[in-house]
Amino acid sequence: MVARTDPAFQETLRDYQRNYVGRPTPLYAAQRLTEHLGGAMVYLKREDLAHTGAHKINNALGQVLLARRMGKKRIIAETGAGQHGVATATAAALCGLECDVYMGTDDIERQKLNVFRMRLLGACVIPVAAGTRTLKDAINEALRDWVTNVRHTHYCLGTVEGPHPFPLICREFQSIIGREARTQILEREGRLPSLLIACVGGGSNAIGLFHDFIPDAQVKMVGVEAGGIAIEPGKHAARFAGGVEGTLHGAYSYVLQDENGQIMSTHSVSAGLDYASVGPEHAHLRDIGRAEYVHVSDQEALDAFQRLANLEGIIPALESAHAIAYACKVVPAMSSQDIVIVNLSGRGDKDVQQAAKFLLAGDDVL
Amino acid sequence: MNRIETRFNNLAQQGKTAFVAYITAGDPDLDTTAEIILEMDRCGVDVIECGVPFSDPVADGIVIQEAAQRALAKGASLRKILAMLKGLRDKTDVPILLFSYYNPILAYGIEQFAVDAKAAGVDGVLTVDLPPEEADFYKKCLDEQHLATVFLIAPTSPPERIKLIARISTGFVYYVSRTGVTGVRQDVEASVHGALDEIRKHTNKPIAVGFGISTPEQATEVAGYADGVVVGSAIVRRISELGNAPDTVQKVGAFVKSLVDATKGK
């Protein structure tokens, strides 16, 4: 963690964040969405406008720079929706490092565009056909690769999950989201928001937004999990609704598991939220009552996906659409004096084909 | 002193190396596992590592992953495995070490698990993904039941951590012969011998070496400098190839016997 206080490293990171990633990302006042909902003022933190189209680049870039600093020659990553894989492949290309990305075969099927992007960026996408063929199994394979090749390989884990210190490293690089949002909202409104909303898979974009606001007790924070089809075993990924304490991938948190401690399969329309555990810091924030965690269904997320496209001309990632969906539920009942910041963690180009299957069912699509 | 410690002590007095055999409990089914354990005892295995199948076995290569999946599909669970082992204790005195991931034990309840494991005749537990730094309560519960607590030392473990792991390991210390996961390998890394010399500077406890040892020739080589030789994937692969065939137990026994003989210098 010496890099945290190394001025040269921090200067390199800042330079890339500004001139390569395009930070700070805008804090956009969503006027039409606000008028449509008729309650609090809604701002969108536009992480979808960061290079590669999601917040994932914040962590990937930081970790790949760390890996270069440590003298590692090779980067590996897991990916669910493909956004972290694309971000890692991008950072590895930028730093001239070899890159292999593990991805479940189910996710490869629903995120073909991102698979192609990774290959274009020079990364090798390694299919994982084991277990549930999603993010969990991609992490299993990445961990196996890492323990085997640890001397020359860095595992760039994409969320605030996994063994210590991964949750802290990822938070460190994602917390720029909340720091920027604070500065931006104070400039625009002269006061802090009353509510922050972010989707939670592993929980990196949520921790990124929340972290800087944790000491501000008046700022309410809500994480939105994937409610999937129903809160029944195997049909959702709402760990706080259906999980109990356990360990998965080296972290103690809420885990969807059976009575024998076997990890259960999960479901979400969005690959990036389809994971049986949740970042341990989220479990902590919930247990101490600092943050609240809710879930919205696949259908609600798809409705929000369409609504934001229609009202604001922004196609959100299906992951981020979960946060939008929850905003649509609660904002109408809030006061016009309230300010809500929704983390628009990624853009939805990657999801267009998947969404079309649901939204245009019966039509002759694509 | 429990059965594992006693066995290593007796072997040390005879100048012999222990042979430790891993199998995944419940593959192809728990009845066959019980028969294989009895057969391995007859073949001279010193310690049986009884693997508890887990849905996400990150420390295991493909052979044991697939065995775990088959066992889980057949309904194996920690509870049923303990019941199976309990039924064996009037038939064998072979030392039994449970090899598990942490979450099945957490879900069971650590205190209750320790009590029930002891009652089932288990002699020790190796929880492969539990770091020693997080093991205080676990170790307290197992110590109270006089169950051995085996922890892993890796080729990348720095001296401070070697000291810690050696201190809290009882029964024996487990040295992982290579960076990586379990699996069948072509050769034993040249660095193992020197690594054991390094570990012995910090502990007098017996050291067993595992991960990747697959053949009688490799067992003989490692037996030349280790106190115990662990073979897992090679045996599990035999079991998976044979499945529920009528001669599975006998054929697995013959293979294990060749490994025992190689380890004992016969």
Side-chain angles (χ1 to χ4, degrees), chain B residues 2 13 22 25-26 36 42 57 77 85 87 93 97 113 116 122 125 127 136-137 153 157 161 169 190 203 226 250 262:
Chain B
N2 75 27
Q13 281 168 11
Y22 171 96
I36 291 174
R42 285 191 286 271
S77 66
L85 293 174
D93 239 355
L97 177 73
F113 162 72
D116 291 356
V122 168
V125 185
T127 301
D136 290 354
F137 181 70
I153 292 176
S157 301
R161 211 143 186 272
S169 290
T203 184
Q250 184 200 342

Side-chain angles (χ1 to χ4, degrees), chain A residues 79-80 102-107 110 128-140 265-266 271 274-276:
Chain A
T79 198
Y102 289 94
M103 189 168 186
T105 49
D106 276 9
D107 289 339
R110 53 182 167 176
V128 180
T132 58
R133 300 179 296 276
T134 61
L135 181 60
K136 166 175 86 75
D137 308 281
I139 296 176
N140 288 346
S265 63
T266 51
D274 203 349
Y275 181 57

Side-chain angles (χ1 to χ4, degrees), chain B residues 9 15 18 39 50 56 72 80 87 114 123 127 174 182 189 192 196-198 200 203 205 217 225 234 243 256:
Chain B
N9 275 351
E39 179 68 11
C50 183
D56 293 82
L72 290 173
K80 288 182 188 169
D123 302 294
T127 301
Y174 192 131
T182 60
E189 285 201 2
V192 175
L196 296 201
D197 290 343
E198 186 60 33
R200 287 201 173 98
T203 184
K205 291 172 186 169
E217 293 71 29
Y225 43 78
V256 168

